[in-house]
Amino acid sequence: ALVSDNGKIHRHPGLKVTVADTIGSGDAFLAGFLHQLLSGATTEKALNFASAIGAFIATQAGACPQYDPSRIAQLIQSNENSNSLLNH
């Protein structure tokens, strides 16, 4: 994902997940991104959250599965841990 914010480019490479159904993942990405921005998150944090929720929704069957928000936080944390291992 790529976002231009006042001339600054923010990128997110995505998260590796096992895909069950991609329907709804783009909508979840956009909703998550906008919600985060409207809640005062930085563009970078909003993009990180949006990527995680879009990826999570792709792991579930159906466009709007029920989930516990802590699962999104866990996915973000596991992705950050994986990236820090790759960068060392």
Side-chain angles (χ1 to χ4, degrees):
L2 177 96
V3 175
S4 176
D5 179 18
N6 293 322
K8 184 172 182 184
I9 302 296
H10 301 273
R11 298 174 194 264
H12 193 286
L15 290 86
K16 281 191 170 190
V17 295
T18 301
V19 175
D21 185 351
T22 61
I23 295 174
S25 60
D27 294 330
F29 175 97
L30 181 57
F33 183 74
L34 294 175
H35 174 74
Q36 290 293 304
L37 287 180
L38 293 172
S39 297
T42 64
T43 302
E44 184 176 46
K45 286 190 178 205
L47 185 58
N48 191 33
F49 181 84
S51 296
I53 196 163
F56 175 78
I57 295 300
T59 69
Q60 306 298 302
C64 194
Q66 289 192 1
Y67 64 92
D68 181 338
S70 68
R71 303 246 344 242
I72 306 307
Q74 291 170 348
L75 187 56
I76 291 169
Q77 185 64 44
S78 68
N79 186 64
E80 288 172 354
N81 291 342
S82 295
N83 285 342
S84 67
L85 292 174
L86 292 174
N87 293 328
H88 292 289

